[in-house]
Amino acid sequence: MSDFDDGIAATPDAPPEIAPAPARPSMLAWLREGARSLLFMNPRWPALHTAPGLMAFLLALEIAITIGFQRAYIEGPATFQIDGLTAGWTGLVLYAWACYVMRPDTERPDNPGTARVLTLLLAQALCLMLVVGPMYIALLRTNALLGAETWVHITVWSLPIGWGTLAALIALLRLRERRVVQQVFAGAAIAVALLAYTMGTPSPFWTRNVAEEEEREEPLRFTQEIVEEQAPLLETQLEMLAPQRPGVKDMYTITFAPFEGEEVFRRESRMVSEVMAKRFDAKGRGVQMLNHREHLANMPWATAVNLERAISGIAQTMDKEEDVLFIHLTSHGASDGELAANFWPMDVEPVMPANLRQWLDDAGIRHRVISISACYAGSWIGPLANEDTLVMTASDATHTSYGCGRKSPLTFFGRAMYDEQLRNQTLSFEVAHAAARKIIQKREIEAGKDDGYSNPQIRVGSRIGHYLQEMREQLGSR
């Protein structure tokens, strides 16, 4: 008789329960929910699953796209800078800490933990970059914002950053399990990350190869005919100056661009001359001097000798006690104050601050506004400053300015100060300079300037500020 003959039926052991395989993360799902959260919609968390490999892939893809977009911003040859990979991690660390602070006590499909929230923020940033990056490239390549008002520039460059930060913050605050103090900590981390991004100086992934992109041009030839045609040009311009008007504070102008081969200086000197003629009623009272192969015989050459002659000649036409002389110098600059001059094969002496001060003093011109658009231009302020002089520069004495490359439409200083502020916004040099400083700093950060803020300077003499105010009132009354 068997052991089972007691009438109790034997049943086989039940098979062990098999846990369902974890859902595989979907890149497409993360991009879809990242885009939804950028539109301030609540992410559908149950459909989202992450893994270390996916997070690493999203981060690597974002870096790769950033490298590609930065390369597209630069026309011509460029060199990759490996240092760019070691910078800019502060924001990611702060975002990860904010995600950790807001994690739930118990993770559920509809209440995500640190990893899933951080993956969403990475997907958000990637979606924003894919939309905004091509737009920025188009704007930079076409110079579409050149001449636009200041608020347009601020909106275009700041809106995507602010939008992305707000979307990330809203996504975190929707994790409602956390206490108010944790929400405050998370919000503070996002705010600090934004501050680190906007105030820092990121290392660019690419730098332009200036030497390789320079085009080979035929050397200039100074024929006897050219020299003979050039000789009377400055004297002719001085003779054609409109006369001084008694009782009227007239503005006389000089623009001086002595570096041949850099198209940006020709554009800037012409633009500044036009702005001064239109906005300060200086039409017919200006002298332009330029070194450029296309103007060998139809514009006075920008040499130190001609600059001294122009100052002396204008002094004979203007009322030296009533009128104002405006001078804009644009070129490369050196740390010792030298304003670079180039007109090979002709030797051209550079202009130094002490030279300009001496020529103005010798001419007896009292009221002076002097603008220097060059690297290290702050070194000009001390030698030129006095009670009747306003001096403004594109940089301080220890930093370079920006935007003087061969393919730049205008220098950053010339564009912000003259093309945007004085052309459209104000007749006050002080107000224009203060606004231009902020614009220039933002653009230098966006362009990846890696040697520090150029820090444009201004010095207003104790008497010239009041005198220029009277001139503005006079202009406004016409």
Side-chain angles (χ1 to χ4, degrees):
M1 190 172 190
S2 74
D3 293 338
F4 298 101
D5 283 346
D6 57 1
I8 301 174
T11 58
D13 292 339
E17 262 187 39
I18 301 175
R24 302 182 69 177
S26 167
M27 178 75 167
L28 182 61
W30 280 108
L31 291 177
R32 182 178 61 246
E33 297 308 311
R36 280 170 50 84
S37 67
L38 274 176
L39 299 175
F40 309 119
M41 301 170 69
N42 203 355
R44 295 171 291 197
W45 291 111
L48 298 176
H49 308 278
T50 192
L54 175 66
M55 297 174 70
F57 179 74
L58 283 170
L59 182 58
L61 185 58
E62 183 177 339
I63 293 173
I65 292 174
T66 301
I67 292 172
F69 282 160
Q70 285 193 11
R71 180 62 185 89
Y73 295 156
I74 301 175
E75 295 185 30
T79 300
F80 182 73
Q81 303 292 318
I82 193 67
D83 291 349
L85 294 172
T86 64
W89 294 96
T90 303
L92 180 62
V93 171
L94 289 168
Y95 270 53
W97 185 78
C99 294
Y100 176 76
V101 167
M102 297 297 288
R103 74 195 187 285
D105 294 327
T106 303
E107 183 173 356
R108 301 189 305 272
D110 61 342
N111 198 15
T114 303
R116 282 203 289 164
V117 178
L118 182 56
T119 307
L120 179 73
L121 299 189
L122 290 172
Q124 269 189 3
L126 184 59
C127 291
L128 186 64
M129 182 181 298
L130 291 172
V131 173
V132 174
M135 294 171 53
Y136 280 173
I137 293 172
L139 290 173
L140 291 170
R141 286 295 185 89
T142 60
N143 296 317
L145 296 181
L146 185 61
E149 295 186 10
T150 303
W151 69 267
V152 176
H153 290 273
I154 295 174
T155 301
V156 167
W157 298 109
S158 301
L159 182 60
I161 298 171
W163 190 290
T165 302
L166 182 60
L169 186 60
I170 289 175
L172 286 172
L173 295 180
R174 278 179 166 153
L175 306 175
R176 296 187 181 89
E177 282 195 3
R178 308 301 3 177
R179 295 189 301 273
V180 172
V181 65
Q182 292 166 305
Q183 294 178 354
V184 170
F185 279 139
I190 299 298
V192 173
L194 176 62
L195 186 66
Y197 177 82
T198 55
M199 299 300 294
T201 304
S203 298
F205 287 108
W206 299 94
T207 57
R208 180 181 285 107
N209 295 347
V210 178
E212 292 182 24
E213 73 176 1
E214 289 184 354
E215 301 172 1
R216 294 183 176 273
E217 295 179 324
E218 291 295 324
L220 294 177
R221 296 178 63 248
F222 293 96
T223 64
Q224 181 175 344
E225 290 79 10
I226 288 175
V227 173
E228 290 176 351
E229 291 174 1
Q230 169 66 209
L233 288 180
L234 178 58
E235 184 177 350
T236 300
Q237 281 202 18
L238 292 171
E239 290 175 351
M240 294 177 63
L241 289 173
Q244 185 272 342
R245 295 170 291 185
V248 176
K249 296 177 176 63
D250 286 313
M251 177 79 80
Y252 285 82
T253 69
I254 295 174
T255 56
F256 186 81
F259 204 91
E260 200 281 326
E262 298 286 9
E263 191 68 25
V264 63
F265 299 134
R266 174 170 71 159
R267 282 192 291 265
E268 178 160 305
S269 62
R270 181 171 55 205
M271 178 272 295
V272 171
S273 180
E274 291 172 354
V275 169
M276 298 304 296
K278 178 180 178 182
R279 297 283 283 162
F280 290 86
D281 195 24
K283 185 176 181 180
R285 294 184 174 84
V287 173
Q288 298 183 55
M289 287 174 281
L290 172 69
N291 292 345
H292 196 281
R293 63 179 53 243
E294 295 180 13
H295 299 281
L296 294 178
N298 62 10
M299 288 190 69
W301 293 340
T303 66
V305 172
N306 273 353
L307 181 56
E308 181 180 9
R309 289 173 176 170
I311 292 171
S312 177
I314 288 177
Q316 296 175 34
T317 300
M318 69 188 300
D319 185 323
K320 291 180 285 189
E321 291 295 320
E322 182 177 63
D323 299 331
V324 178
L325 176 60
F326 168 89
I327 302 176
H328 181 73
L329 312 173
T330 178
S331 182
H332 298 294
S335 57
D336 63 355
E338 178 180 295
L339 189 74
N342 173 53
F343 212 15
W344 193 88
M346 185 173 75
D347 288 333
V348 182
E349 290 295 319
V351 175
M352 300 293 289
N355 300 143
L356 183 56
R357 173 63 181 264
Q358 187 64 53
W359 300 333
L360 289 165
D361 288 348
D362 291 346
I365 297 173
R366 179 178 178 182
H367 304 294
R368 312 164 184 179
V369 176
I370 305 172
S371 169
I372 305 99
S373 179
C375 296
Y376 311 109
S379 59
W380 286 66
I381 291 179
L384 294 174
N386 67 23
E387 294 84 351
D388 296 302
T389 300
L390 183 152
V391 189
M392 49 192 169
T393 67
S395 59
D396 61 24
T398 60
H399 288 93
T400 61
S401 55
Y402 213 64
C404 56
R406 289 173 62 87
K407 297 184 179 180
S408 299
L410 294 169
T411 68
F412 279 25
F413 177 72
R415 174 183 168 189
M417 179 75 194
Y418 293 96
D419 195 46
E420 295 170 355
Q421 293 301 309
L422 288 177
R423 184 192 293 276
N424 299 309
Q425 303 297 324
T426 181
L427 290 175
S428 168
F429 295 107
E430 301 98 305
V431 172
H433 195 276
R437 279 177 52 85
K438 299 176 183 178
I439 297 169
I440 291 167
Q441 183 175 32
K442 180 175 178 57
R443 288 174 180 165
E444 288 178 350
I445 292 172
E446 292 166 351
K449 187 175 187 289
D450 58 4
D451 66 337
Y453 174 40
S454 58
N455 195 23
Q457 300 288 297
I458 188 169
R459 179 82 61 83
V460 184
S462 58
R463 291 193 291 260
I464 189 66
H466 178 70
Y467 201 79
L468 292 173
Q469 172 62 30
E470 293 178 350
M471 174 176 275
R472 290 193 294 273
E473 293 170 359
Q474 170 189 284
L475 290 168
S477 66
R478 293 181 187 174

